Amino acid sequence: MKKPFVAPSVLAADFSRLDAAAAEIDASGAEWTHLDVMDGHFVPNLTFGPKMVKDLRPHSRSVFDVHLMVSNPGDLFGPFAQAGADYITFHAEAAVHIHRLLQAVRDLGKKPGISIVPSTPVSAIEEVLPVLDLVLVMTVNPGFGGQALIGECLEKVKKLVRIREELGLSFLISVDGGVNPSTAAKVREAGVDVMVAGEAFFKAQDKKALVALLKG
Ligand code: DX5
Ligand code: ZN
Protein backbone atom coordinates (compact mmCIF):
# COMPACT_ATOMS: atom_id res chain seq x y z
CA MET A 1 0.00 0.00 0.00
CA LYS A 2 1.15 3.53 -0.80
CA LYS A 3 2.42 5.47 2.21
CA PRO A 4 0.42 8.57 3.16
CA PHE A 5 1.73 12.07 2.55
CA VAL A 6 2.50 14.14 5.63
CA ALA A 7 1.24 17.74 5.82
CA PRO A 8 2.81 19.69 8.72
CA SER A 9 0.49 22.48 9.87
CA VAL A 10 2.26 25.83 10.29
CA LEU A 11 -0.35 26.69 12.94
CA ALA A 12 2.10 25.12 15.40
CA ALA A 13 5.14 26.98 14.03
CA ASP A 14 6.65 30.23 15.28
CA PHE A 15 4.71 32.82 13.23
CA SER A 16 7.67 35.21 13.36
CA ARG A 17 9.83 32.65 11.53
CA LEU A 18 7.60 31.01 8.92
CA ASP A 19 10.35 30.95 6.28
CA ALA A 20 12.37 28.76 8.65
CA ALA A 21 9.30 26.55 9.19
CA ALA A 22 8.95 26.11 5.42
CA ALA A 23 12.60 25.09 5.18
CA GLU A 24 12.14 22.56 8.00
CA ILE A 25 9.13 21.07 6.22
CA ASP A 26 11.05 20.76 2.93
CA ALA A 27 14.00 19.09 4.69
CA SER A 28 11.80 16.63 6.61
CA GLY A 29 10.46 14.53 3.74
CA ALA A 30 6.90 15.86 4.22
CA GLU A 31 5.29 16.52 0.85
CA TRP A 32 2.57 19.04 1.77
CA THR A 33 2.26 22.16 3.92
CA HIS A 34 -1.08 22.64 5.70
CA LEU A 35 -2.18 26.26 6.11
CA ASP A 36 -4.96 26.83 8.64
CA VAL A 37 -6.97 29.97 7.92
CA MET A 38 -9.28 30.97 10.81
CA ASP A 39 -11.59 33.96 10.87
CA GLY A 40 -12.62 34.29 14.54
CA HIS A 41 -16.22 33.65 13.45
CA PHE A 42 -16.57 30.13 12.04
CA VAL A 43 -14.01 29.11 14.68
CA PRO A 44 -13.01 30.97 17.86
CA ASN A 45 -9.47 31.78 16.74
CA LEU A 46 -7.67 33.96 14.18
CA THR A 47 -4.63 33.10 12.12
CA PHE A 48 -3.62 34.65 8.81
CA GLY A 49 -4.81 35.66 5.35
CA PRO A 50 -3.66 35.32 1.75
CA LYS A 51 -0.73 37.71 2.07
CA MET A 52 1.03 35.39 4.48
CA VAL A 53 0.55 32.48 2.06
CA LYS A 54 1.82 34.60 -0.86
CA ASP A 55 4.90 35.68 1.09
CA LEU A 56 5.64 32.09 2.15
CA ARG A 57 5.21 30.58 -1.33
CA PRO A 58 8.74 31.35 -2.64
CA HIS A 59 10.31 29.85 0.52
CA SER A 60 8.76 26.41 -0.02
CA ARG A 61 8.81 23.54 -2.53
CA SER A 62 5.77 21.94 -0.86
CA VAL A 63 2.20 21.44 -2.05
CA PHE A 64 0.17 24.22 -0.36
CA ASP A 65 -2.93 22.76 1.32
CA VAL A 66 -5.10 25.69 2.40
CA HIS A 67 -7.74 24.79 5.02
CA LEU A 68 -10.34 27.56 5.26
CA MET A 69 -12.08 27.57 8.64
CA VAL A 70 -14.11 30.64 7.75
CA SER A 71 -17.67 31.77 7.16
CA ASN A 72 -18.43 32.76 3.54
CA PRO A 73 -15.44 30.80 2.18
CA GLY A 74 -16.24 31.66 -1.44
CA ASP A 75 -15.13 35.26 -0.86
CA LEU A 76 -11.57 34.06 -0.28
CA PHE A 77 -11.02 31.58 -3.12
CA GLY A 78 -9.63 34.20 -5.53
CA PRO A 79 -7.15 35.72 -3.07
CA PHE A 80 -5.85 32.32 -1.91
CA ALA A 81 -5.63 31.00 -5.48
CA GLN A 82 -3.54 34.04 -6.41
CA ALA A 83 -1.42 33.59 -3.31
CA GLY A 84 -0.28 30.17 -4.50
CA ALA A 85 -2.63 27.63 -2.91
CA ASP A 86 -2.70 24.20 -4.61
CA TYR A 87 -5.65 22.71 -2.69
CA ILE A 88 -8.40 24.98 -1.34
CA THR A 89 -10.58 23.25 1.24
CA PHE A 90 -13.63 24.79 2.89
CA HIS A 91 -16.13 23.51 5.45
CA ALA A 92 -19.40 21.85 4.52
CA GLU A 93 -20.86 23.50 7.65
CA ALA A 94 -19.98 26.98 6.36
CA ALA A 95 -21.70 26.70 2.98
CA VAL A 96 -25.08 25.97 1.44
CA HIS A 97 -24.13 25.77 -2.24
CA ILE A 98 -21.24 23.37 -1.83
CA HIS A 99 -21.43 22.09 -5.39
CA ARG A 100 -21.16 25.59 -6.85
CA LEU A 101 -18.28 26.51 -4.53
CA LEU A 102 -16.30 23.39 -5.47
CA GLN A 103 -16.71 24.36 -9.11
CA ALA A 104 -15.58 27.92 -8.32
CA VAL A 105 -12.30 26.56 -6.92
CA ARG A 106 -11.82 24.40 -10.01
CA ASP A 107 -12.54 27.35 -12.30
CA LEU A 108 -9.58 29.10 -10.65
CA GLY A 109 -7.37 26.17 -11.66
CA LYS A 110 -7.04 24.84 -8.09
CA LYS A 111 -7.97 21.54 -6.46
CA PRO A 112 -11.18 21.75 -4.41
CA GLY A 113 -11.62 20.08 -1.04
CA ILE A 114 -14.38 19.77 1.55
CA SER A 115 -13.86 19.43 5.30
CA ILE A 116 -16.29 18.04 7.88
CA VAL A 117 -16.19 18.66 11.64
CA PRO A 118 -16.61 15.73 14.07
CA SER A 119 -20.41 16.14 14.29
CA THR A 120 -20.99 16.14 10.51
CA PRO A 121 -21.67 12.77 8.85
CA VAL A 122 -20.20 11.62 5.55
CA SER A 123 -23.75 11.62 4.13
CA ALA A 124 -23.67 15.45 4.19
CA ILE A 125 -21.09 15.45 1.36
CA GLU A 126 -21.86 12.20 -0.45
CA GLU A 127 -23.49 13.89 -3.45
CA VAL A 128 -20.43 16.04 -4.18
CA LEU A 129 -17.74 13.35 -3.88
CA PRO A 130 -17.51 12.99 -7.69
CA VAL A 131 -16.59 16.66 -8.11
CA LEU A 132 -13.92 17.18 -5.45
CA ASP A 133 -10.23 16.29 -5.05
CA LEU A 134 -9.88 16.13 -1.26
CA VAL A 135 -12.00 15.28 1.78
CA LEU A 136 -10.47 16.59 5.00
CA VAL A 137 -11.89 14.70 7.97
CA MET A 138 -11.47 16.72 11.15
CA THR A 139 -10.57 14.51 14.10
CA VAL A 140 -10.80 17.42 16.56
CA ASN A 141 -13.19 20.34 16.79
CA PRO A 142 -11.49 23.00 14.64
CA GLY A 143 -9.93 26.14 16.05
CA PHE A 144 -6.84 25.05 17.93
CA GLY A 145 -3.82 22.79 17.61
CA GLY A 146 -2.65 20.31 20.22
CA GLN A 147 -6.02 18.65 20.95
CA ALA A 148 -6.62 14.91 21.39
CA LEU A 149 -7.80 12.91 18.37
CA ILE A 150 -11.45 11.82 18.53
CA GLY A 151 -11.16 8.17 17.52
CA GLU A 152 -14.77 7.74 16.34
CA CYS A 153 -14.10 10.16 13.47
CA LEU A 154 -11.83 7.56 11.86
CA GLU A 155 -14.96 5.52 11.04
CA LYS A 156 -15.77 8.29 8.55
CA VAL A 157 -12.42 7.74 6.86
CA LYS A 158 -13.22 4.02 6.49
CA LYS A 159 -16.64 4.86 5.07
CA LEU A 160 -15.12 7.29 2.55
CA VAL A 161 -12.61 4.64 1.45
CA ARG A 162 -15.51 2.22 0.82
CA ILE A 163 -17.58 4.77 -1.11
CA ARG A 164 -14.57 5.84 -3.18
CA GLU A 165 -13.97 2.21 -4.16
CA GLU A 166 -17.65 1.56 -4.95
CA LEU A 167 -18.00 4.66 -7.13
CA GLY A 168 -14.56 4.35 -8.74
CA LEU A 169 -13.49 7.86 -7.61
CA SER A 170 -10.01 9.14 -6.85
CA PHE A 171 -10.28 11.96 -4.29
CA LEU A 172 -7.73 12.01 -1.46
CA ILE A 173 -8.71 11.60 2.19
CA SER A 174 -6.93 13.70 4.78
CA VAL A 175 -7.08 13.51 8.59
CA ASP A 176 -6.59 16.67 10.64
CA GLY A 177 -6.24 16.97 14.42
CA GLY A 178 -4.35 15.03 17.04
CA VAL A 179 -2.17 13.05 14.64
CA ASN A 180 1.03 12.06 16.46
CA PRO A 181 3.24 8.97 16.93
CA SER A 182 0.71 7.40 19.36
CA THR A 183 -2.29 7.78 17.03
CA ALA A 184 -0.57 7.37 13.64
CA ALA A 185 -1.07 3.61 13.31
CA LYS A 186 -4.86 3.75 13.69
CA VAL A 187 -5.03 6.77 11.36
CA ARG A 188 -3.10 4.85 8.68
CA GLU A 189 -5.18 1.71 9.23
CA ALA A 190 -8.35 3.70 8.54
CA GLY A 191 -6.99 4.27 5.02
CA VAL A 192 -5.87 7.89 5.03
CA ASP A 193 -3.88 9.49 2.16
CA VAL A 194 -2.72 12.68 3.89
CA MET A 195 -1.83 13.09 7.57
CA VAL A 196 -1.89 16.66 8.91
CA ALA A 197 0.37 17.16 11.93
CA GLY A 198 0.86 20.43 13.81
CA GLU A 199 2.27 20.05 17.30
CA ALA A 200 3.71 16.61 16.67
CA PHE A 201 5.83 18.01 13.81
CA PHE A 202 6.97 21.32 15.29
CA LYS A 203 7.73 19.88 18.74
CA ALA A 204 9.79 17.01 17.31
CA GLN A 205 13.56 17.44 17.62
CA ASP A 206 14.19 15.11 14.67
CA LYS A 207 11.57 16.08 12.09
CA LYS A 208 12.79 13.62 9.48
CA ALA A 209 12.37 10.75 11.94
CA LEU A 210 8.93 12.02 12.95
CA VAL A 211 7.74 12.11 9.33
CA ALA A 212 9.07 8.59 8.72
CA LEU A 213 7.33 7.39 11.90
CA LEU A 214 3.98 8.92 10.87
CA LYS A 215 4.23 7.39 7.39
CA GLY A 216 4.81 3.95 8.97
C1 DX5 B 1 -7.25 22.66 13.89
C2 DX5 B 1 -6.47 22.73 12.61
C3 DX5 B 1 -5.40 21.74 12.50
C4 DX5 B 1 -4.30 21.86 13.52
C5 DX5 B 1 -3.85 20.47 13.86
O1 DX5 B 1 -8.37 23.46 13.83
O2 DX5 B 1 -7.34 22.56 11.48
O3 DX5 B 1 -4.83 21.70 11.18
O4 DX5 B 1 -3.19 22.60 13.07
O5 DX5 B 1 -2.99 20.56 14.93
P1 DX5 B 1 -2.51 19.29 15.77
O6 DX5 B 1 -1.80 18.37 14.81
O7 DX5 B 1 -1.58 19.91 16.78
O8 DX5 B 1 -3.71 18.64 16.36
ZN1 ZN C 1 -6.33 22.21 9.48
Side-chain angles (χ1 to χ4, degrees):
M1 225 173 76
K2 197 175 162 291
K3 291 195 180 199
F5 297 138
V6 172
S9 167
V10 299
L11 182 64
D14 179 344
F15 276 19
S16 70
R17 301 188 57 241
L18 288 175
D19 55 343
E24 285 179 327
I25 293 171
D26 279 344
S28 72
E31 297 87 348
W32 287 24
T33 295
H34 188 80
L35 297 145
D36 285 309
V37 179
M38 304 185 186
D39 67 351
H41 183 257
F42 179 70
V43 289
N45 197 3
L46 280 168
T47 53
F48 47 76
K51 180 162 190 305
M52 199 289 286
V53 173
K54 181 170 180 269
D55 289 351
L56 194 60
R57 188 61 278 186
H59 295 279
S60 169
R61 294 191 302 271
S62 197
V63 170
F64 269 16
D65 175 30
V66 171
H67 178 192
L68 297 177
M69 284 162 276
V70 303
S71 305
N72 303 319
D75 296 349
L76 293 173
F77 294 164
F80 278 102
Q82 274 181 10
D86 295 297
Y87 285 81
I88 299 180
T89 296
F90 60 94
H91 270 266
E93 304 83 9
V96 176
H97 304 293
I98 294 175
H99 188 278
R100 177 187 290 155
L101 289 175
L102 290 166
Q103 188 57 48
V105 173
R106 204 172 292 290
D107 288 346
L108 290 163
K110 305 299 177 183
K111 294 180 188 297
I114 270 287
S115 183
I116 49 175
V117 303
S119 59
T120 299
V122 167
S123 59
I125 57 165
E126 226 170 316
E127 301 301 323
V128 293
L129 293 176
V131 296
L132 49 71
D133 290 327
L134 177 72
V135 178
L136 192 160
V137 177
M138 293 291 318
T139 39
V140 296
N141 288 293
F144 303 95
Q147 304 180 77
L149 179 137
I150 302 168
E152 292 75 27
C153 297
L154 294 175
E155 292 306 314
K156 292 194 265 185
V157 174
K158 295 179 193 166
K159 192 176 277 183
L160 284 161
V161 170
R162 280 201 303 276
I163 297 174
R164 181 172 62 186
E165 176 74 30
E166 276 163 27
L167 300 181
L169 300 172
S170 55
F171 59 84
L172 298 177
I173 304 167
S174 175
V175 159
D176 187 8
V179 175
N180 58 43
S182 333
T183 57
K186 61 181 176 190
V187 172
R188 283 195 306 271
E189 280 158 22
V192 76
D193 305 296
V194 184
M195 301 167 97
V196 177
E199 275 210 350
F201 182 85
F202 283 100
K203 281 197 171 157
Q205 290 297 321
D206 185 342
K207 295 183 169 34
K208 216 172 181 166
L210 185 270
V211 169
L213 196 65
L214 294 180
K215 282 173 172 281

